[in-house]
Amino acid sequence: MSFLLDLDKKLAIGEAVSMGVLLLIMSALAFLQVLARYCFSISVVWCEEVTRYCMIWMTFIGTAYAVSKQEHINIDMMTEWLKHKTGFDLRHILNILILVFAFFCVFYGWHLVMSTKASGQLTPALRIPMYWVYLIMECSLALTAFHAFVRVVDFKINK
């Protein structure tokens, strides 16, 4: 179990760093776009597309990071009240639901990625295969499932 917890922590650090790098790239590209438009009257076509993809990727990676830190959306007041009154930890059920949802999304998302790959669709400005953009969904939801799995197993062991 300590191996899983160590891997979980290292993945969370990698996710945090990835989100920071993506935010830095987004900020730099937005600044470049504004500078190019207002100072030089030109438009850098690919900047907006890269910024959009960075935002999408940062959101999906943030989902996995939030699950790893148990900071995902839940009703904290209800969770604490139920734990205080009955001793039952609702977070365990939430982690199981997140695990099931993430597996469901990975399974059906893979079909989306494969159909996009088969279509040969390219991004408008960068002309990269669109399935590369969609792969972040698969990777981040697999990480989300892993983090939820570690929380479920850790709950069972430490109960």
Side-chain angles (χ1 to χ4, degrees), residues 31-154:
F31 177 75
L32 174 68
Q33 182 72 341
V34 169
L35 186 69
R37 280 191 185 179
Y38 291 106
C39 294
F40 304 113
S41 297
I42 60 172
S43 179
V44 185
V45 179
W46 54 269
C47 270
E48 182 182 341
E49 190 172 304
V50 172
T51 303
R52 183 181 322 116
Y53 296 148
C54 285
M55 174 64 94
I56 293 167
W57 293 355
M58 193 170 68
T59 302
F60 275 104
I61 293 169
T63 301
Y65 184 74
V67 171
S68 75
K69 297 297 180 186
Q70 294 290 278
E71 294 293 330
H72 48 75
I73 295 175
N74 64 32
I75 303 171
D76 196 43
M77 184 177 85
M78 186 176 171
T79 305
E80 291 301 317
W81 177 81
L82 192 60
K83 188 175 181 181
H84 177 70
K85 289 287 185 186
T86 65
F88 181 75
D89 196 350
L90 189 61
R91 290 178 300 170
H92 181 60
I93 291 176
L94 293 173
N95 284 321
I96 291 172
L97 291 174
I98 289 169
L99 181 62
V100 169
F101 176 75
F103 272 127
F104 176 80
C105 289
V106 167
F107 178 75
Y108 286 103
W110 185 251
H111 294 295
L112 173 68
V113 170
M114 288 296 109
S115 66
T116 306
K117 183 179 181 181
S119 73
Q121 183 180 0
L122 301 174
T123 60
L126 297 173
R127 310 300 297 166
I128 60 172
M130 194 66 181
Y131 76 92
W132 283 103
V133 177
Y134 288 167
L135 271 176
I136 191 62
M137 181 175 57
E138 294 300 296
C139 297
S140 66
L141 287 167
L143 287 170
T144 300
F146 174 76
H147 291 307
F149 173 75
V150 169
R151 298 298 167 279
V152 168
V153 171
D154 189 42

Side-chain angles (χ1 to χ4, degrees), residues 10-30:
K10 289 178 183 177
L11 286 173
I13 291 169
E15 292 159 0
V17 168
S18 297
M19 288 187 302
V21 168
L22 288 169
L23 183 61
L24 185 64
I25 290 170
M26 282 175 34
S27 301
L29 289 177

